[in-house]
Amino acid sequence: ALDDLGEPGEAFAWYTEGHTIKKAHEPEGAAPGMAFMETLRTALTPEILERFQGMGHPSAKPVLIVGMPRSGTTLVEQILASHPRAAGAGELGLLPYFRNNMPDLLGVSAEFPDCLPDLTRDLIQDFAESTYLWRLAKAGPDAERVSDKLPHNFMNLGLFALLFPNARIVHCRRDPVDTCVSIYCQNFAGRHAYAHDLQDLGRYYRAYEALMAHWQSVLPMPILDLDYQALVDDPATESARLLDFL
């Protein structure tokens, strides 16, 4: 309300007070997420990706829209879903589910990503067909492309590449300060422990940038960087870029 009234300083003090309260319930901060991103950069190497070459599902229907929260993922999905040959499935939790439950699905004790060497063609094909593509078909039965816009799937791009090597990834970017301020001023549902301290938020953003640079260098599939400000300033040109990419 204070922000709407043009009192950003006073508003920011209350945003900080709100985060102080939420931090008491999510005291872990950014450290676990940053550590996991570093683990992904170490574990998902070109060699491990090459080991699974030819095991993924051939479908090109999935479109993963990723980026930090508040970076334009919803707008990009709305543009995509307005096309008669495409549909949007919203924020699906299927890739995090597959990642977190992979040890149980494989019957092994090692956690992800240590269990990756045990991953089989049968499990890849079954999850891709019976779970992921089945869910996309519900969102767009006749669509050639269907998007999944869970922002934090930027952590799951290596896994997505194993499942669907012919699919497409759209990476939504926005000015880092705009992104972080927008995150700080949003009361998210679910756990966003990295967001309750400005230094934590800045460090987490830099870890995300490093992970995306890693994916850009190792994944054998195209990633389109789409800038939020460019999309807002020139929607026709940027929308055409998006549709051409897909």
Side-chain angles (χ1 to χ4, degrees):
L2 287 163
D3 193 29
D4 290 342
L5 290 170
E7 301 288 347
E10 199 170 344
F12 208 81
W14 283 107
Y15 287 131
T16 302
E17 179 70 16
H19 280 294
T20 300
I21 295 168
K22 294 199 75 172
K23 190 174 183 178
H25 300 282
E26 299 177 359
E28 66 271 23
M34 292 174 62
F36 185 62
M37 283 188 265
E38 180 60 31
T39 297
L40 291 171
R41 290 171 59 196
T42 303
L44 275 296
T45 61
E47 292 74 24
I48 194 74
L49 293 169
E50 188 175 349
R51 180 185 301 185
F52 294 97
Q53 189 172 4
M55 294 189 189
H57 195 284
S59 175
K61 177 177 283 192
V63 177
L64 216 57
I65 301 173
V66 302
M68 285 290 285
R70 314 297 293 171
S71 64
T73 56
T74 299
L75 176 60
V76 170
E77 180 167 77
Q78 288 172 342
I79 293 169
L80 180 148
S82 68
H83 194 283
R85 290 157 55 194
E91 297 186 1
L92 303 180
L94 297 177
L95 292 177
Y97 168 85
F98 189 50
R99 182 190 76 202
N100 295 333
N101 289 277
M102 191 179 292
D104 291 339
L105 295 170
L106 290 169
V108 299
S109 58
E111 297 294 321
F112 181 90
D114 293 337
C115 63
L116 270 175
D118 297 303
L119 187 58
T120 63
R121 175 193 289 267
D122 287 346
L123 183 56
I124 290 172
Q125 291 286 331
D126 181 64
F127 181 82
E129 181 71 43
S130 303
T131 301
Y132 203 90
L133 289 175
W134 176 83
R135 179 61 184 84
L136 296 191
K138 290 175 69 69
D142 302 316
E144 295 178 36
R145 303 283 185 269
V146 182
S147 60
D148 172 357
K149 63 158 290 280
L150 187 68
H152 274 90
N153 267 334
F154 66 76
M155 293 191 183
N156 299 316
L157 298 193
L159 194 55
F160 185 69
L162 299 185
L163 290 165
F164 299 105
N166 297 322
R168 297 287 183 271
I169 297 167
V170 179
H171 174 215
C172 296
R173 297 185 59 101
R174 186 181 180 187
D175 177 89
V177 173
D178 285 346
T179 304
C180 290
V181 168
S182 189
I183 289 171
Y184 198 71
C185 297
Q186 182 76 20
N187 185 19
F188 291 102
R191 297 187 76 83
H192 289 262
Y194 62 88
H196 305 319
D197 176 271
L198 289 172
Q199 289 189 351
D200 257 8
L201 184 51
R203 285 192 288 263
Y204 188 91
Y205 189 95
R206 294 183 67 163
Y208 138 78
E209 283 195 316
L211 180 60
M212 284 305 307
H214 173 73
W215 296 137
Q216 293 272 13
S217 68
V218 304
L219 292 189
M221 60 198 306
I223 301 175
L224 175 69
D225 286 327
L226 207 58
D227 182 76
Y228 174 79
Q229 195 60 52
L231 183 59
V232 172
D233 290 343
D234 188 0
T237 298
E238 295 304 306
S239 296
R241 282 185 66 228
L242 171 66
L243 297 178
D244 286 345
F245 176 72
L246 301 177

